[in-house]
Amino acid sequence: HVQLVESGGGSVQAGGTLRISCVVSKYGYRQYCMGWFRQAPGKEREGVAAIDMDGMTSYSGSVKGRFTISKDNTKKVTYLQMNSLKPEDSAMYYCVAQPPWTDCTGSRLPSSFGSWAQGTQVTVS
């Protein structure tokens, strides 16, 4: 059973920065594909970023060059650093943990085999 807790969301002006975090309680965390997806009211889910067990990262086209995903295997924390934020980045952001055999491509998250929690709200004005 995977438990995830996201934090760090908030409100920021356009052009600003935020870092959101996700603490995972899961044996075998190091092998998991970790990522973030988002969903705004009335819109489809959008995969944002992913990092695999080897540290390889991938991003959706809408955030590439502005967002950076990273993880600390010792602390079992995954981060999403968001720079140059735009109003269209406003959404609920969800951290997802997926088994290593799933597709760990940022734009294609989440897998139906993934686990996620309640999300953290990011609002850019």
Side-chain angles (χ1 to χ4, degrees):
H1 180 63
V2 182
Q3 289 186 311
L4 306 98
V5 178
E6 301 105 334
S7 63
S11 297
V12 66
Q13 290 189 334
T17 66
L18 274 177
R19 189 177 77 161
I20 54 179
S21 304
C22 171
V23 179
V24 183
S25 68
K26 170 63 182 174
Y27 178 78
Y29 166 77
R30 290 172 184 266
Q31 282 72 45
Y32 265 56
C33 165
M34 297 300 302
W36 296 88
F37 68 94
R38 64 189 181 186
Q39 189 165 22
K43 293 190 176 181
E44 297 284 327
R45 283 178 190 168
E46 179 188 9
V48 173
I51 183 166
D52 70 11
M53 58 185 288
D54 297 318
M56 293 292 290
T57 59
S58 62
Y59 302 90
S60 67
S62 61
V63 308
K64 194 170 185 178
R66 299 188 297 122
F67 290 11
T68 302
I69 188 171
S70 61
K71 64 176 182 172
D72 183 328
N73 287 331
T74 301
K75 297 179 180 178
K76 295 186 179 180
V77 181
T78 300
Y79 303 98
L80 187 67
Q81 176 68 42
M82 301 181 289
N83 299 332
S84 302
L85 281 160
K86 305 175 181 179
E88 51 263 44
D89 294 318
S90 296
M92 188 72 79
Y93 282 71
Y94 298 88
C95 174
V96 58
Q98 303 182 175
W101 43 266
T102 59
D103 183 354
C104 196
T105 303
S107 60
R108 293 200 283 265
L109 297 182
S111 162
S112 58
F113 298 98
S115 299
W116 54 89
Q118 78 286 349
T120 186
Q121 180 67 41
V122 172
T123 302
V124 186
S125 59

